[in-house]
Amino acid sequence: MISGKSRLPLLLSLLLPLWASASASEPGTVPAPAPAASSASALIAALGQPAPAHTAFAEARFLQVLERPLVVSGELSWLGGDQLQRRVDHPQQETATIAHGEVTQQRAGKSPHHFSLKRAPQLQVLLDSFVALLSGDAGRLQQAFEIRQAGDAAGAWTLTLVPRDAKVVKTVASITIDGYARESRCMHMQEADGDLAIDLLGALATKMPAQPTREALQALCQGTP
């Protein structure tokens, strides 16, 4: 079975990077700047798109117990409804899937691991919220997160998501998404224990350094496309 400590980061690693880049390659009109709350809602609405949606990703995970970050890359897919998939191609093949209320983790040459979202109701709430967000429904996302926006929706911007659920906060402190206009470029997931995962999304995924540092990745995330 997948351990309880790893379940929430696993689910979020499936959901956030995929949503953040779901519409990066879609043409459209950037919403006009507005007061903070309505501007964030307009930006989220503009980023949503219909399923299926696919995006490349490269992730560097900085763990306090390791001197060097763990780096993986592959593809994220939203197949519609609650069906999401995170396929890792490098350095080894691994697939994590959410479908019909169950999370499955499959590694090459090993038996799959499963767990039901019924055993973790807070994860089901987050899944429902993110599926709504994938389609651009900011209102439902606000039920699970406090949403803060910095920057201009017509240029560089940052969305910060802070969980409202006290149980979730004990695992994930905050999630930050950096983007430019309609292109989401990076996602940072800061865990409560100090660990940090940084995902480069879409075209930016190809620029993951061979030996990434937090500072180098932050510079990439905040650079102009």
Side-chain angles (χ1 to χ4, degrees):
M1 297 294 293
I2 301 173
S3 69
K5 183 180 184 299
S6 67
R7 288 175 179 176
L8 186 54
L10 171 62
L11 182 63
L12 290 172
S13 72
L14 274 160
L15 296 171
L16 261 297
L18 178 60
W19 164 69
S21 60
S23 61
S25 62
E26 294 294 310
T29 302
V30 176
S38 59
S39 179
S41 296
L43 176 59
I44 291 167
L47 292 173
Q49 74 169 44
H54 308 273
T55 187
F57 80 97
E59 179 182 278
R61 187 172 176 82
F62 297 86
L63 305 177
Q64 296 187 91
V65 297
L66 297 178
E67 293 184 0
R68 297 181 179 180
L70 299 175
V71 179
V72 300
S73 61
E75 183 181 76
L76 296 144
S77 301
W78 176 40
L79 305 177
D82 69 349
Q83 300 180 73
L84 303 107
Q85 186 176 85
R86 181 180 189 258
R87 190 191 75 231
V88 173
D89 298 323
H90 302 286
Q92 60 184 8
Q93 293 186 337
E94 178 180 344
T95 301
T97 305
I98 300 174
H100 312 301
E102 183 173 85
V103 179
T104 300
Q105 189 174 31
Q106 176 72 64
R107 293 180 178 176
K110 296 185 178 181
S111 300
H113 295 278
H114 308 274
F115 74 86
S116 172
L117 291 180
K118 292 181 180 179
R119 300 180 60 184
Q122 73 271 29
L123 300 189
Q124 182 65 60
V125 170
L126 288 174
L127 175 60
D128 292 343
S129 297
F130 283 121
V131 168
L133 199 155
L134 284 162
S135 60
D137 189 342
R140 287 181 62 185
L141 180 69
Q142 291 172 347
Q143 296 177 14
F145 290 98
E146 176 187 348
I147 304 173
R148 305 167 187 165
Q149 180 187 350
D152 188 343
W157 51 264
T158 298
L159 287 176
T160 301
L161 311 179
V162 179
R164 298 185 185 276
D165 190 302
K167 293 181 180 179
V168 177
V169 170
K170 290 180 180 180
T171 303
V172 177
S174 65
I175 297 159
T176 303
I177 302 163
D178 294 313
Y180 191 92
R182 286 182 59 89
E183 181 182 2
S184 299
R185 296 168 57 77
C186 300
M187 188 273 286
H188 303 67
M189 183 171 70
Q190 181 66 62
E191 296 181 31
D193 62 5
D195 293 345
L196 172 68
I198 302 179
D199 285 75
L200 305 184
L201 308 170
L204 197 62
T206 63
K207 297 184 179 181
M208 174 66 73
Q211 297 183 350
T213 64
R214 300 182 189 213
E215 294 76 17
L217 295 183
Q218 188 66 26
L220 280 173
C221 292
Q222 296 183 347
T224 302

